Amino acid sequence: MLQQDLSIVSNKVIAKDTYEMVLEGDLVQQIKRPGQFIHIKIGEGFSHMLRRPFSIADYSLETNQLVIIYKVIGEGSKWLSKQSDQSFINVLGPLGNGFEIDHLANQNVLVVGGGVGVPPLYALTKQLSQRNDVKAVLGYQSSDSVFYEEKFNKYANTTVATNDGSYGEEGFVTDVINQMQNQVDYYFACGPLIMLGAIQLQLRDTQGLLSVEERMGCGVGACFACVCEADNEKGYVKICQDGPVFHSNEVTL
Ligand code: FES
């Protein structure tokens, strides 16, 4: 883990209230797996929100660059959206365990993302597709919030669902999964807790990994906002320190 000023290569809108930021610096060399996150120092004068966690959507060890995708929902993310190319932001990371995929080859793999849970699944899908047959189901609120459909389509047979039916299939990601005929050997999911809980139940006979990042607060073990009931001797896990990725049968959502 490093703390470093990374340069902003680009910072642009890719969907409604949704930005893609490309960052460059040596810290990228320490990323081990998709599903890890970084902790960004947000602005000046935000006493309660010095750093915020952001999942890594993509990264390249060759170019020394990583990508985050974030939604503008408050003062901190608004500040981030105003940062211009070639300026620097302070980043701590990479943090978290990420998705373990080395054991998977020649499998039918399902990747399920909802809204801001979609980003960490992109680098994962790229890597999974090298040795597996991957299907992706991505859920969004409506047509104007859809992003990265084409990018996912390069590596996975991708279906988009919107809650209001304004684009792709109408309904939730669970509705799309219900219609799937093919056997799923292994699955990965990231999104709102209610979605993860529904998928955990729907795919209870299938092994999978869940990224429970929605529950994250400080990101460094200090606030206890991320504690989640778990099937271990302690009875709980801290999402930021023990996760954010867990086996589907490990956490109670
Ligand atoms: Fe604060 Fe985990 S997010 S302790």
Side-chain angles (χ1 to χ4, degrees):
M1 180 181 65
L2 282 178
Q3 183 177 332
Q4 196 173 57
D5 289 334
L6 298 191
S7 69
I8 299 174
V9 177
S10 63
N11 189 20
K12 62 180 191 217
V13 179
I14 56 168
K16 186 183 176 213
D17 298 330
T18 309
Y19 283 70
E20 176 197 70
M21 178 181 270
V22 179
L23 298 169
E24 187 171 320
D26 291 341
L27 178 149
V28 174
Q29 296 299 321
Q30 299 210 352
I31 299 172
K32 298 266 184 314
R33 293 182 189 142
Q36 291 186 285
F37 65 97
I38 55 172
H39 217 211
I40 296 181
K41 187 172 180 193
I42 296 291
E44 311 297 328
F46 298 119
S47 56
H48 299 305
M49 43 197 306
L50 284 181
R51 286 191 183 272
R52 278 283 171 264
F54 295 87
S55 61
I56 297 167
D58 198 11
Y59 62 96
S60 165
L61 302 181
E62 282 77 43
T63 61
N64 241 7
Q65 293 181 350
L66 66 82
V67 180
I68 60 165
I69 293 169
Y70 61 96
K71 228 174 159 86
V72 174
I73 46 172
E75 287 302 309
S77 46
K78 195 170 167 189
W79 176 86
L80 199 60
S81 72
K82 303 259 183 276
Q83 301 311 296
S84 51
D85 299 0
Q86 312 312 325
S87 58
F88 288 84
I89 51 172
N90 190 266
V91 175
L92 184 69
L95 299 164
N97 54 358
F99 295 106
E100 170 61 69
I101 61 168
D102 291 348
H103 61 295
L104 292 174
N106 304 315
Q107 304 283 301
N108 290 314
V109 179
L110 175 64
V111 169
V112 189
V116 287
V118 169
L121 302 175
Y122 179 58
L124 171 75
T125 298
K126 277 167 97 171
Q127 293 186 24
L128 281 169
S129 70
Q130 292 170 7
R131 299 199 300 162
N132 299 278
D133 185 24
V134 189
K135 284 195 172 55
V137 179
L138 309 178
Y140 303 89
Q141 288 283 347
S142 57
S143 60
D144 56 4
S145 50
V146 175
F147 61 88
Y148 267 41
E149 181 189 8
E150 278 180 26
K151 284 177 174 267
F152 271 88
N153 242 328
K154 270 194 197 164
Y155 302 100
N157 184 341
T158 303
T159 305
V160 168
T162 50
N163 296 358
D164 62 3
S166 54
Y167 187 82
E169 304 285 318
E170 178 171 0
F172 299 111
V173 290
T174 42
D175 298 324
V176 177
I177 297 168
N178 262 337
Q179 295 162 17
M180 284 185 159
Q181 308 284 327
N182 291 350
Q183 175 75 31
V184 174
D185 298 317
Y186 206 93
Y187 78 93
F188 297 85
C190 186
L193 287 179
I194 193 158
M195 182 200 101
L196 292 181
I199 289 169
Q200 202 180 29
L201 192 63
Q202 188 177 26
L203 298 176
R204 58 188 169 280
D205 297 327
T206 307
Q207 287 207 61
L209 294 178
L210 306 173
S211 180
V212 196
E213 59 179 35
E214 194 206 26
R215 195 71 171 263
M216 209 127 51
C218 72
V220 288
C223 73
F224 284 77
C226 68
V227 167
C228 180
E229 195 181 324
D231 187 14
N232 62 16
E233 58 289 352
K234 282 190 298 187
Y236 71 90
V237 287
K238 270 191 189 176
I239 300 212
C240 64
Q241 288 185 327
D242 304 318
V245 176
F246 298 94
H247 283 279
S248 53
N249 55 7
E250 195 180 351
V251 283
T252 308
L253 301 173

